[in-house]
Amino acid sequence: MAKLEIIVSIITINYNGLKDTCELIDSLPLEDKSIEVIVVDNASKEDEASIISSRYPQVKVIRSEQNLGFAGGNNLGIKAAQGKYLFFINNDVILKPQTSDIRHLISRLETDDKIGAVCPKIRFAWGDNPIQFAGYTPLSRYTMRNRSIGFGETDKGQYDIAHPTPYAHGAAILVKREALEQVGLMPECYFLYYEELDWSMMFTRAGYSIWYEPACTIYHKESQATGQNSPLKTYYLTRNRLLFVKRNIKGLRRYITYTYLLLVVAPRDICRYILHRQFNLASATIKGIKYFILEK
């Protein structure tokens, strides 16, 4: 009997998140043999990889002995994946049978050879499931500001038309393997945050577009691993915003943006943290700037 072709490889990263990861796996269509599920355990403190393997023998579990970060963990999963399409999803995501059909994402990719990646509609997994993502607006030229379309809004179907988006959302991205082979792996220099924006820029430079497809909706618990306002998150957001500018903006515009981020945004954030007695966040902001400068 011929071996069934793997159509989609679902890749997720686990880092001290056994409960979330198991809830994600429980929401996946494991009975579909054309789908493989890959969990990369990013050096969790306990041996969560063995627990996942024991509970879900049909899942491919890869244990990394060191924390490779978001991009590094996903890249490890890519190297093990066999699918024609690769679906990267956070472990704090839930799929629902009635709304989360991955085939809608595949259909969107197949409408045009130059669509390299597609993201579903993302709604929060709490309350009345407000929208988190219905595409992104472009980054402003100098301030690096943009917004997630529909963020915080009640979903009344107002964003139910598919459209291109300049950047993918890291919580859920379906990618064509052929596009991935042209674009390359996720940039590992960020470790956490901004890698999906940089990867999106890599797709764009390679001539591919990225789309938002609302026919598929997933549900996101958001920041279960790092916390909503943790020093870790503050450090990497500060450092990586500057690193993103370094890697993606050229000429005079780069230095105007550096000036804005270092002389306006950072002092404003530090003062706000101090006023709210969040000294650990002020310290994390300073540390992010320091390490970016030292790494240049």
Side-chain angles (χ1 to χ4, degrees):
M1 182 180 294
K3 185 178 179 181
L4 186 65
E5 180 185 8
I6 300 297
I7 304 298
V8 179
S9 298
I10 299 176
I11 300 171
T12 193
I13 308 300
N14 178 75
Y15 176 67
N16 302 323
L18 180 64
K19 180 177 181 293
D20 283 327
T21 301
C22 289
E23 288 178 1
L24 166 62
I25 295 171
D26 287 338
S27 76
L28 297 176
L30 297 179
E31 71 285 351
D32 187 340
K33 301 306 179 185
S34 70
I35 293 176
E36 68 172 352
V37 179
I38 300 172
V39 175
V40 177
D41 185 74
N42 237 348
S44 295
K45 293 177 182 177
E46 305 294 330
D47 186 6
E48 295 183 352
S50 295
I51 299 172
I52 294 167
S53 290
S54 174
R55 290 187 189 178
Y56 307 98
Q58 67 273 58
V59 171
K60 185 183 295 185
V61 182
I62 302 168
R63 165 78 176 179
S64 174
E65 293 305 319
Q66 65 180 80
N67 187 343
L68 301 174
F70 180 78
N74 276 307
N75 288 342
L76 199 59
I78 289 170
K79 293 169 186 175
Q82 302 176 59
K84 181 180 178 182
Y85 307 95
L86 292 85
F87 191 31
F88 303 92
I89 49 177
N90 282 10
N91 74 318
D92 60 347
V93 158
I94 297 293
L95 278 66
K96 297 183 179 181
Q98 62 273 29
T99 59
S100 306
D101 193 336
I102 300 169
R103 290 174 295 183
H104 293 300
L105 301 178
I106 294 173
S107 295
R108 176 55 57 189
L109 281 180
E110 291 306 314
T111 61
D112 189 331
D113 289 342
K114 282 303 181 181
I115 300 177
V118 61
C119 295
K121 180 190 291 183
I122 303 175
R123 294 171 62 179
F124 289 110
W126 38 263
D128 63 351
N129 305 123
I131 295 169
Q132 181 180 14
F133 170 85
Y136 278 125
T137 62
L139 287 167
S140 58
R141 283 185 57 80
Y142 298 106
T143 65
M144 292 292 99
R145 292 178 178 273
N146 75 326
R147 65 182 181 87
S148 178
I149 297 169
F151 186 90
E153 296 180 22
T154 299
D155 188 358
K156 299 178 180 178
Q158 68 271 43
Y159 301 111
D160 280 356
I161 297 176
H163 59 80
T165 175
Y167 318 107
H169 195 292
I173 316 169
L174 183 73
V175 173
K176 286 178 183 171
R177 178 176 288 278
E178 62 197 65
L180 174 62
E181 290 170 352
Q182 291 292 320
V183 171
L185 298 174
M186 287 189 187
E188 297 185 14
C189 54
Y190 291 94
F191 191 77
L192 188 65
Y193 300 116
Y194 271 88
E195 52 275 283
E196 74 271 21
L197 290 182
D198 197 302
W199 208 33
S200 297
M201 299 288 282
M202 292 166 63
F203 271 86
T204 301
R205 285 194 292 268
Y208 289 100
S209 62
I210 302 165
W211 275 67
Y212 157 75
E213 176 50 74
C216 177
T217 299
I218 58 100
Y219 301 84
H220 190 200
K221 300 172 191 175
E222 176 66 5
S223 293
Q224 295 293 303
T226 58
Q228 290 289 345
N229 281 304
S230 69
L232 179 71
K233 183 174 183 178
T234 300
Y235 165 76
Y236 278 111
L237 285 176
T238 302
R239 168 191 178 266
N240 291 350
R241 189 181 296 120
L242 293 162
L243 181 57
F244 179 84
V245 172
K246 178 183 178 182
R247 284 172 53 88
N248 292 283
I249 299 180
K250 307 300 181 185
L252 179 62
R253 184 179 154 213
R254 174 193 290 180
Y255 294 98
I256 293 172
T257 301
Y258 278 160
T259 300
Y260 173 75
L261 294 176
L262 292 170
L263 299 184
V264 177
V265 175
R268 179 200 65 197
D269 290 346
I270 291 167
C271 289
R272 185 176 72 247
Y273 293 142
I274 291 173
L275 285 172
H276 288 88
R277 305 186 66 79
Q278 295 174 307
F279 302 115
N280 57 343
L281 300 185
S283 176
T285 302
I286 295 168
K287 183 179 176 183
I289 295 168
K290 174 184 173 183
Y291 276 85
F292 169 73
I293 292 171
L294 292 174
E295 289 169 344
K296 288 181 69 175

